[in-house]
Amino acid sequence: MPKASARHILVATEDKCNELKSAIEGGADFAQIAKDNSSCPSGRQGGDLGTFGPGQMVKEFDTVVFSAPVNVVQGPVKTQFGYHLLEVTSRQD
């Protein structure tokens, strides 16, 4: 079964999500941005979600995590929780 490790940042608006993505693409540290901005409890660990398999996260999240290139920030990804920036840190197919 495929497994992936990922980290994310959860915010309330698409504008804020795009602003943070620009900062990360400009060299800001993903983990620090997560600690400072994410409304998810995982923000305290730099957004780290650990390792999980398909179906353990919401559908929109799964789709990105199991298809996006590794170590490239993706988003904004909208879910019922808000807007996410996602980065797949590893994946085994």
Side-chain angles (χ1 to χ4, degrees):
M1 180 166 91
K3 291 263 186 217
S5 298
R7 57 187 183 168
H8 83 132
I9 299 168
L10 174 63
V11 294
T13 68
E14 189 172 9
D15 286 344
K16 182 67 173 178
C17 206
N18 282 317
E19 175 190 321
L20 297 177
K21 185 176 185 180
S22 292
I24 293 165
E25 288 172 342
D29 180 62
F30 189 105
Q32 191 59 53
I33 295 282
K35 287 176 186 174
D36 294 343
N37 296 276
S38 185
S39 61
C40 181
S42 69
R44 290 191 292 275
Q45 290 82 44
D48 187 16
L49 295 169
T51 301
F52 51 91
Q56 291 186 264
M57 301 289 177
V58 294
K59 182 173 142 320
E60 301 90 342
F61 212 89
D62 255 18
T63 300
V64 173
V65 169
F66 289 98
S67 66
V70 175
N71 297 320
V72 177
V73 176
Q74 304 293 315
V77 176
K78 186 178 186 335
T79 71
Q80 73 258 36
F81 302 107
Y83 292 87
H84 306 258
L85 291 179
L86 301 170
E87 182 182 31
V88 181
T89 54
S90 71
R91 186 171 53 232
Q92 298 150 343
D93 295 318

